[in-house]
Amino acid sequence: MATQAQGGGTSDFTANLGKIYAFYTGGFLTFVVILAILEQAGVPNAVIGYLFVALTIGVYAFIGIMSRTMQVSEYYVAGRRVPALYNGMATGADWMSAASFIGMAGTLYLLGYDGLGFVLGWTGGYVLVAILVGPYLRKFGCYTVPDFFAFRFGGNVARFLAIIVLLSCSFTYVVAQIVGTGLIGARLLNMDFTVAVYVGLAGILVCSMLGGMRAVTWTQVAQYIVLIIAYLLPVVILSAQKFGLPLPQFTYGQVLQAITAREQEMVQQGLAVAGQIKPYIQPFTTYDPLNYFGLILCLMVGTASLPHVLMRYFTTPSVREARLSVAWSLLFIFMLYFTAPAYAAFAKLEVYQEVIGRAITDLPQWIYSYGKVGLINVCGAQATDAAAVVAACQKIAGHAGILRFGDFAIQADAIVISTPEIAGLPYVVSGLVAAGGLAAALSTADGLLLAIANALSHDVYYKMIDKNAPTARRLTIARVLLVGVAVLAAYTASFRPADIVAMVAWAFSLAAAGIFPALVMGIWWKRTSSVAALAGMTVGFGLCLYYLVGTRYYAGSFYETWSVLSSATDAQAARYAELKAAWLAAPDSAAAWKAYDTFAQGIANWFGVKNISAGLFSLPLGFFIIWSVSLMTPGPTAEMRAFIDEIRRPRGRAIFQEKTS
Amino acid sequence: MSNPHEATHWPRTVRLMWTMLGLWAFFSFFIHFFVTSLNKIVIFGFPLGFYMAAQGSLIAFVVMLFWFASAQDKIDRECGVAEDD
């Protein structure tokens, strides 16, 4: 894995990377210890929290400013000299979003086995990246994913289509990250949501604006270190407390057994009605097998198509290191994802043993801390304090004053952030978790923003509008666009758009449908023609978008158009007609519309496929169209075939030579 | 062609790709079809079907990728198309 770097200054830098980041990690841990001492000395929690945020963002900003550059190849691909291991860490941070850090464990808590579809889907995709796509794009030597489409499929029409797909899957995603920074600020540091959004915006801009990919890479490595320490520490301590072994990933097997036993016990004690509890380890309680496996496939293929992930592999020094780098990426991502189920299991057991079955006057204190910020409801009301809980439960007829299973509702986001308090750890650990969540959100936002801004500055401006733009102007335009997109994303995020967060799940199906078939066939099947690729991208993406928007926003008319393919039973069809009549009778009633629309969303589908797995239709269709249209149209020129051979051989110069000065 | 084995490079690469894709499909989908039966086997408290989705397949993916990086590099070197070290 020896890295041959060019130029004296660089080789010094690369050789010292280990030392630099070891020093950084040591410094960060020292900082945590100092804050722990300050806390014991009586420094208020709010100050500790702000110190965490200020110092970590300060360090990222420092790296960002130190990595400023005026060279095009540094700006777009970090000079192609990021060693495999560090690119792996950077990809880990790039990949793991606020949703992975804060929400993943909570999703597992709520869904049990079915939630593991996300764990599998968000890791297995890297296998596809390594074997089908990544190394070939690295050899091709492009700056952005649309570059490859333009080159392989005959110019700017293909480039434009790729840009459309890129923008539609990345923009909602980046908005969701900024919403994530706002929520972390609001919940863990008691900041105002909007203020936290703009603090996040500043944090993103200082990392990415001056140094582009180069700065983002080195801050993402730093952010990975913070986020993984923050994720592992609380649950490691919890495991050591309960089992005397600081390896939660292994000890939670016993927790699973205890959960299953307690599930039955709660029914026997009358705390829950049989059938009310979803057994934690039992599969297919939320998704049926078709949707479970469909979701896994869409997430995996989507991972292998998302431009902000693929572009990370443009930065390695060689094709060999690009492959190795995918393996490192997955290892670093694995560290978090194989811990998430442990978090979920520990939290579940805590709730089942220490909360359910207790007197409502005697609930653990942490319930009120998170009830106050709207993450926990007891007896249908927000659990702000003991009095509110008692009052809410007394309203329920026949409530015996003992908390039952059905009385307690916790949101997914509460699981990771409440663990330090459940384990009785000092506030400094909660501050650490906030810093980790912030690192996860910022690093993903950086990568996405760069993918969007590069598509606009490199592909739209430089390649389509002004091919003779001088370097200085290209980089200025790139920065202006970056700031513009970032401000637009933060502005959108400041409205807390609920739909945007749900739409992130769509990004995977959209990317899978629009990019994957053309990308893979363009590399692996020489016969793939430009017309076929354009047709495949348009139809695949179009169908996916139609299914997503139709089933979500026009559920009624989608169902009526496709009632033959819907999974609705006769009873459901009758109920649909009833609700529709009720709504038509009272077209101004919001309640009638909501009842009608919500029900329609449940049955607006083809063969019962939920919209989160929409790629299940468009992905095979995309492949089929590209294959069949290719056979009907003239294949690529001999010159193009020779280029494809070139891409497949690691040795030799990059195909795509950029004017760099 | 500078190396007599260069012509075999792509066929060998394609074979490796299909092997990897097969393993990927096995650990992503196939093994999880049997989750209900596998859950009857419990190891260190983990029902095996649950364990495979939570950790087993993930470990397989990581190991597969490191193995793939070295296997493909071996093919590249033997066929004389590897990059210079």
Side-chain angles (χ1 to χ4, degrees), chain A residues 249 257 319-320 323 651, chain B residues 10 45 55 73 76 81 83:
Chain A
Q249 299 88 349
Q257 295 303 306
V319 177
R320 178 185 301 127
R323 281 185 213 116
R651 186 195 279 279
Chain B
W10 191 245
Q55 293 186 8
D73 194 44
D76 292 349
V81 296
E83 296 148 297

Side-chain angles (χ1 to χ4, degrees), chain A residues 108 110-116 256 259-260 263-264 275 277-287 292, chain B residues 35-36 39 47 49-50:
Chain A
L108 293 167
L110 296 175
L111 303 184
Y113 177 87
D114 289 6
L116 294 173
L256 292 177
I259 290 173
T260 308
E263 279 166 354
Q264 288 154 6
I277 303 177
K278 283 182 184 175
Y280 190 65
I281 56 166
Q282 187 182 316
F284 313 130
T285 51
T286 306
Y287 301 122
Y292 180 73
Chain B
V35 53
T36 313
N39 270 348
F50 183 96

